Amino acid sequence: MTSPLPPGQFLIKRMPRFGLGRFARRFPADPSRLWIEVGGDVEASVQIDRTAFEAMPRTDHVADFHCVTTWSVRGLRWSGVRFADFFEHVAGRSRPTDDVRLVVFHGEDGYRCSLPLEDLLAADVLLADTLDGAPLGIEHGAPVRLVAPAHYGYKNVKHLRRIEFWRDERHYRFPFPYPSFMDHPRARVAFEERGRGLPGWVLRLYRLIIPLTIVNFRMALRRHRARNA
Ligand SMILES: Nc1nc2c(c(=O)[nH]1)N[C@H]1C(S)=C(S)[C@@H](COP(=O)(O)O)O[C@H]1N2
Ligand SMILES: [Mo]
């Protein structure tokens, strides 16, 4: 695995707990409870619990991970359900309208992000519940997170609680108070689609906030663990 890193990225050894500052202090109430609601432009909403999730075909996938702020980690070993298989299962039960094309992922911490359905059907896109052979911890998105390695980290929503299928963008907004330029509709790492309306290399400036963000997220996790000990 010595292929060059994508444009503007640099390598770090260990995956930190990371995200937008507003979500540093928010955690799932019960990270062991797998419960995903499926809704949007569908005929019927459905709920996926652990039993339903575990009945779907499982896949392993090794991938690098690239945060939009320019850090990357290599060779993460995820396992879970391929999004395409999940979609086939839920589409059968919830019957989305034929023209859905946008999927919105909601985390229990209030974070949300969207990707085109077409991008999510790629074979390397997973709903992952394990990382490097162990159940996903709260730092990396328990109970289940999206893993879409061709897209920047911010599309890889953690603590999944709700997935919506929509015909258009009307029902979606990047979480307040973050400006929409921070959210590219596809955010493909290979094309440096870091944000919308600005060349990707300009947003390499995000690099400046990495150290503070890592410390902020680490301390918030430590306090959370102390409170729940
Ligand atoms: N629910 C939720 N998902 C999220 C975030 C978040 O704050 N909350 N941050 C995103 C960002 S910006 C990144 S880089 C990755 C970080 O994943 P990690 O904490 O496992 O390293 O999660 C993404 N998914
Ligand atoms: Mo990120």
Side-chain angles (χ1 to χ4, degrees), residues 15-19 23 67 109 111 139-140 145 153 156 158:
M15 189 185 208
R17 176 172 182 257
F18 208 85
F23 303 97
C67 171
D109 57 354
Y111 184 76
E139 66 275 46
H140 297 307
R145 81 176 301 164
N156 294 237
K158 301 187 275 187

Side-chain angles (χ1 to χ4, degrees), residues 18-20 65-71 111 152-155:
F18 208 85
L20 295 174
F65 188 95
H66 311 288
C67 171
V68 74
T69 64
T70 73
W71 61 261
Y111 184 76
Y152 284 115
Y154 66 91
K155 296 293 186 184

Side-chain angles (χ1 to χ4, degrees), residues 20 22-29 104-113 157-162 172-178:
L20 295 174
R22 187 174 155 212
F23 303 97
R25 274 164 289 282
R26 298 188 184 180
F27 297 89
V104 181
F105 296 87
H106 295 261
E108 193 180 331
D109 57 354
Y111 184 76
R112 59 180 174 266
C113 212
V157 178
K158 301 187 275 187
H159 318 302
L160 284 176
R161 281 292 179 242
R162 184 169 169 82
Y172 170 67
R173 195 201 172 284
F174 199 52
F176 181 84
Y178 298 99

